[in-house]
Amino acid sequence: MSEATSGAGAGYVPAELYTEVQQFYARQMNLLEGPAADPDAWARTFTEDAVFATAGEPEPPAGRENLRDTVRAGVEHIAAQGLDFRHWFGMVGVERRPDDTLRTRYYALAMATARGGPLKVRGSMLCHDELVRGDDGRLLVRRRSLDADGRER
Amino acid sequence: MSEATSGAGAGYVPAELYTEVQQFYARQMNLLEGPAADPDAWARTFTEDAVFATAGEPEPPAGRENLRDTVRAGVEHIAAQGLDFRHWFGMVGVERRPDDTLRTRYYALAMATARGGPLKVRGSMLCHDELVRGDDGRLLVRRRSLDADGRER
Amino acid sequence: MSEATSGAGAGYVPAELYTEVQQFYARQMNLLEGPAADPDAWARTFTEDAVFATAGEPEPPAGRENLRDTVRAGVEHIAAQGLDFRHWFGMVGVERRPDDTLRTRYYALAMATARGGPLKVRGSMLCHDELVRGDDGRLLVRRRSLDADGRER
């Protein structure tokens, strides 16, 4: 396949990069939701100064430490309720900027199932991430912006 | 990995092509559903003579112009209702034909959320596309065939 | 992209392997759910001695023959009810072991639509597969372990 007809030529990113992002997201969310949920490891998938913004809400304090505390409280709250929580990401688009950072756009679907209960779809979101590489070359989220579907605008 | 054990060797398409299709679909549907919804740009992801067929319904007039008009009306109707609409594609299979066209098969899930309301799953579909390349090498849909789950047969 | 920054360098598998797994799953489940449902072909995507385990239930008899019989009965039961059944796999993680077998982890969502009825989400599962290669190099499932969300623990 010539460059002109390759994914890159059509404004897409190469397969290695695209599948790296897919694998990054699968691993990241599994760190919240699998049997091996680990809020500390999840927080380390963000930069030290990361921002986690939700449209329509005040921007929360930045930084990995704040993220870790927030998500640990969330994981404990979910566990106390006996819920199995799942986040699915789909329809992922990836753009590489001249400075080698990545901008991604994806849909996220949040679902939860109580012990012995039916699955409930909590809602969907349109998400944008800014991804950078850490010193060891791994992807890290520098900014995540969520916009919940159905939000009053 | 030898050819014998590669994805291509097992009747699959190479990673560059597979991820190009994934990125094409993510971008195409974002042209309908993102904050930057653009029915004109969406229509340009189809060939001039494209057919958009729905099982059990008469085949509509072919062509990009008709598609654009239909989808623009749909986008305006959805906006008037205040809905955030999302289409997810998943479980994508890609086959490359000897003439270099692609046949794809995938599931699509349609979801909508009203302002301040809960997400509603509208339904799922089994979809088949015929994809070709335009003069600039980009993928274009020449035929899209939808078959809604639950349809009376 | 240097090795240090590639997906492989971050503990991920290369794009060819990742997309092969994605294509394998899409094809496998289409063998159960598409118009061309074929329980025999589906069973041949498992090894002769495959195990299909469900958490909280006794481990069923191993082997491709047992799987085929079980799934054929399931397909017939679903057809008799007039349901369109869909399984989506998402958030796939792939790990390559030193012996070249693969361990995968993914979420699965089961959905069904009755003739003329609405789509119902049946539930979600956390799944783990052990994949090996057959003599012809194709992927085969040697073990599939499902853990339904909401299961009493």
Side-chain angles (χ1 to χ4, degrees):
Chain A
M1 200 161 50
S2 71
E3 180 65 21
T5 60
S6 74
Y12 300 132
V13 299
E16 289 299 339
L17 184 54
Y18 191 72
T19 58
E20 183 185 1
V21 171
Q22 290 180 307
Q23 293 179 78
F24 172 72
Y25 285 144
R27 180 180 294 177
Q28 183 185 50
M29 297 317 289
N30 197 64
L31 289 173
L32 278 190
E33 303 172 347
D38 182 342
D40 288 331
W42 181 84
R44 287 193 300 270
T45 64
F46 290 79
T47 63
E48 290 283 358
D49 61 349
V51 173
F52 196 114
T54 304
E57 297 182 14
E59 192 156 302
R64 182 186 283 170
E65 298 307 305
N66 291 310
L67 275 175
R68 190 185 57 196
D69 294 346
T70 303
V71 83
R72 185 185 287 139
V75 166
E76 286 167 5
H77 180 65
I78 286 167
Q81 293 177 288
L83 292 175
D84 285 326
F85 219 98
R86 302 284 169 217
H87 286 90
W88 289 56
F89 292 0
M91 304 298 273
V92 179
V94 180
E95 183 192 353
R96 185 152 52 180
R97 295 291 172 97
D99 65 357
D100 247 11
T101 61
L102 305 177
R103 305 296 168 100
T104 66
R105 183 197 62 241
Y106 53 95
Y107 299 162
L109 193 59
M111 297 180 284
T113 309
R115 292 279 162 273
L119 178 144
K120 291 196 179 165
V121 178
R122 295 293 187 98
S124 61
M125 291 169 279
L126 176 61
C127 311
H128 290 86
D129 278 0
E130 194 181 312
L131 303 178
V132 299
R133 294 200 181 272
D135 292 337
D136 59 358
R138 295 189 186 225
L139 291 175
L140 298 170
V141 181
R142 185 160 66 189
R143 183 182 179 87
R144 176 161 291 174
S145 304
L146 309 182
D147 194 348
D149 290 335
R151 181 172 66 85
E152 305 285 354
R153 286 182 178 93
Chain B
M1 200 161 50
S2 72
E3 181 64 21
T5 60
S6 74
Y12 301 132
V13 298
E16 289 299 337
L17 184 55
Y18 192 73
T19 58
E20 182 184 1
V21 171
Q22 291 180 307
Q23 292 179 78
F24 172 72
Y25 285 144
R27 180 180 295 178
Q28 183 185 51
M29 298 317 290
N30 197 64
L31 288 173
L32 278 191
E33 304 173 346
D38 182 343
D40 288 331
W42 182 84
R44 286 193 301 269
T45 65
F46 290 80
T47 63
E48 290 282 357
D49 61 349
V51 173
F52 196 114
T54 305
E57 297 182 14
E59 193 156 299
R64 183 186 282 169
E65 299 307 305
N66 291 311
L67 275 175
R68 191 186 56 196
D69 294 346
T70 303
V71 82
R72 186 185 285 140
V75 166
E76 285 168 4
H77 180 66
I78 285 166
Q81 293 177 288
L83 292 175
D84 284 327
F85 219 98
R86 301 284 167 218
H87 286 90
W88 289 55
F89 292 0
M91 303 299 271
V92 179
V94 181
E95 183 193 352
R96 184 152 52 180
R97 295 290 172 97
D99 65 358
D100 247 13
T101 61
L102 305 177
R103 305 295 169 101
T104 66
R105 183 195 64 240
Y106 53 95
Y107 300 162
L109 193 58
M111 298 179 283
T113 310
R115 292 280 162 272
L119 178 144
K120 291 195 179 167
V121 178
R122 294 293 189 98
S124 61
M125 292 169 279
L126 177 60
C127 310
H128 290 85
D129 278 0
E130 196 181 311
L131 303 178
V132 298
R133 292 200 182 273
D135 292 337
D136 59 357
R138 293 189 186 223
L139 291 175
L140 297 171
V141 181
R142 185 160 66 190
R143 182 180 179 89
R144 176 161 291 175
S145 305
L146 309 182
D147 194 348
D149 290 336
R151 181 172 65 85
E152 303 286 353
R153 287 184 178 90
Chain C
M1 201 161 50
S2 72
E3 181 65 20
T5 61
S6 74
Y12 300 131
V13 298
E16 290 299 338
L17 184 55
Y18 191 72
T19 58
E20 182 185 0
V21 171
Q22 291 181 306
Q23 293 179 78
F24 172 72
Y25 285 144
R27 180 180 295 178
Q28 183 185 50
M29 297 317 290
N30 197 64
L31 289 173
L32 279 191
E33 304 173 345
D38 182 342
D40 288 332
W42 181 83
R44 288 194 300 271
T45 64
F46 290 80
T47 63
E48 290 282 358
D49 61 348
V51 173
F52 196 115
T54 304
E57 297 182 14
E59 193 156 300
R64 183 186 282 170
E65 299 307 305
N66 291 311
L67 274 176
R68 191 187 55 197
D69 295 346
T70 302
V71 82
R72 186 186 285 138
V75 166
E76 285 168 5
H77 181 65
I78 285 167
Q81 294 177 287
L83 293 175
D84 285 326
F85 219 98
R86 303 284 168 217
H87 287 90
W88 289 56
F89 292 1
M91 303 299 271
V92 179
V94 181
E95 182 192 353
R96 184 150 54 178
R97 295 291 172 98
D99 65 358
D100 247 11
T101 62
L102 306 178
R103 305 296 169 100
T104 66
R105 183 195 64 238
Y106 53 95
Y107 299 162
L109 194 58
M111 298 179 283
T113 311
R115 293 278 163 273
L119 178 145
K120 291 194 179 168
V121 178
R122 294 293 188 97
S124 61
M125 291 168 280
L126 177 61
C127 310
H128 290 86
D129 278 0
E130 195 181 312
L131 303 178
V132 299
R133 293 201 182 272
D135 292 338
D136 60 358
R138 293 189 188 226
L139 291 175
L140 297 171
V141 181
R142 185 160 67 190
R143 183 182 179 87
R144 176 161 291 176
S145 305
L146 309 183
D147 195 348
D149 290 335
R151 181 170 67 84
E152 304 285 354
R153 287 183 177 91

